[in-house]
Amino acid sequence: MYTFNPTLYFITDSTGLSEEEFLYRVECALDGGATLIQLREKDRTTREYIHLAYKVHSIARRYNVPLIVDDRVDVALAVGTEGVHVGQTDMPVSIARKLIGPDRIVGATTKTVTQAVEAYEQGADYLGVGAIYPTTTQVKTTATLKDICAAVPIPVNAIGGLNKTNLDVLTGIPIAGICVVSAIMKSDNPCKSAHDLLILSKQLQNKLQNGK
């Protein structure tokens, strides 16, 4: 039985990788400590997406980690994954929730407090907020992230260019975890990178609890 834990939310990117190498990196990320995984495939056909989702789901289940499918509710339902994630140009949260049912996870990407409140009211279980990096409005982005955390009672994760060297900007913001893509997918050692990022994400939460 999986546990919903967004501390280290790993988002995949199969660009330029063989299926074998991609699945190897997925397993490395989970072995290193990724607590939640999202399969994100923008350019695959429905059949290709389902094929890959089955394989990723098989790996994720061995680690008792929920698999979230980006955008495609039909793929999530076909494969029986634990949830789906929708963006602002995708299916509305309310419809995704209606289709996927009350017992699966629905996540949403939001960039404003208004969007965050709307997603929560429509049934989202968690939010991804960003992008934190790269952006010329970093301070504004982190301020908005903090406001969103205060506005909704569900977990909020930071996303956007995050890696082991730049997480300090999130200090003091009550996020539930971090979302990472390239920091694991493009790492020379994805297992170690996931392990290190999990520790750093936990440290951010510990600092918050200790008032630092």
Side-chain angles (χ1 to χ4, degrees):
M1 180 63 181
Y2 73 83
T3 300
F4 177 75
N5 177 1
T7 305
L8 178 57
Y9 191 156
F10 167 53
I11 301 172
T12 68
D13 179 5
S14 64
T15 305
L17 299 175
S18 67
E19 183 177 289
E20 181 181 11
E21 176 66 18
F22 173 74
L23 294 174
Y24 167 75
R25 288 180 172 272
V26 166
E27 180 138 26
C28 284
L30 291 166
D31 190 44
T35 60
L36 194 60
I37 178 172
Q38 180 189 131
L39 179 62
R40 183 166 65 183
E41 296 291 334
K42 297 294 187 184
D43 300 319
R44 291 184 185 266
T45 66
T46 298
R47 185 167 294 189
E48 289 170 341
Y49 208 155
I50 289 173
H51 167 82
L52 193 61
Y54 269 120
K55 294 197 171 186
V56 173
H57 197 213
S58 178
I59 298 170
R61 288 175 71 176
R62 294 205 302 270
Y63 290 88
N64 295 318
V65 172
L67 174 61
I68 309 297
V69 171
D70 179 54
D71 184 16
R72 297 292 298 276
V73 175
D74 57 335
V75 173
L77 288 171
V79 178
T81 68
E82 285 68 44
V84 67
H85 186 94
V86 293
Q88 288 299 308
T89 60
D90 298 328
M91 181 181 294
V93 170
S94 58
I95 297 177
R97 170 59 71 199
K98 181 179 180 180
L99 291 172
I100 207 165
D103 298 325
R104 289 180 177 165
I105 302 164
V106 176
T109 299
T110 62
K111 296 180 182 295
T112 68
V113 171
T114 299
Q115 291 175 357
V117 171
E118 180 181 57
Y120 162 66
E121 290 177 344
Q122 289 187 10
D125 294 300
Y126 74 87
L127 304 176
V129 177
I132 306 302
Y133 295 102
T135 174
T136 57
T137 57
Q138 176 186 312
V139 174
K140 180 179 179 181
T141 302
T142 52
T144 301
L145 175 62
K146 192 170 185 177
D147 289 342
I148 288 174
C149 288
V152 295
I154 55 177
V156 175
N157 271 40
I159 186 172
L162 299 173
N163 59 55
K164 290 184 285 187
T165 68
N166 63 13
L167 297 180
D168 285 349
V169 71
L170 301 173
T171 300
I173 302 175
I175 55 172
I178 57 173
C179 299
V180 296
V181 187
S182 297
I184 293 177
M185 287 301 311
K186 294 183 179 180
S187 171
D188 292 335
N189 189 335
C191 182
K192 184 178 186 303
S193 292
H195 173 75
D196 293 346
L197 285 160
L198 177 62
I199 291 173
L200 290 169
S201 184
K202 287 180 177 178
Q203 287 176 350
L204 283 173
Q205 294 179 42
N206 289 336
K207 287 180 182 178
L208 186 69
Q209 292 171 3
N210 294 330
K212 295 181 181 180

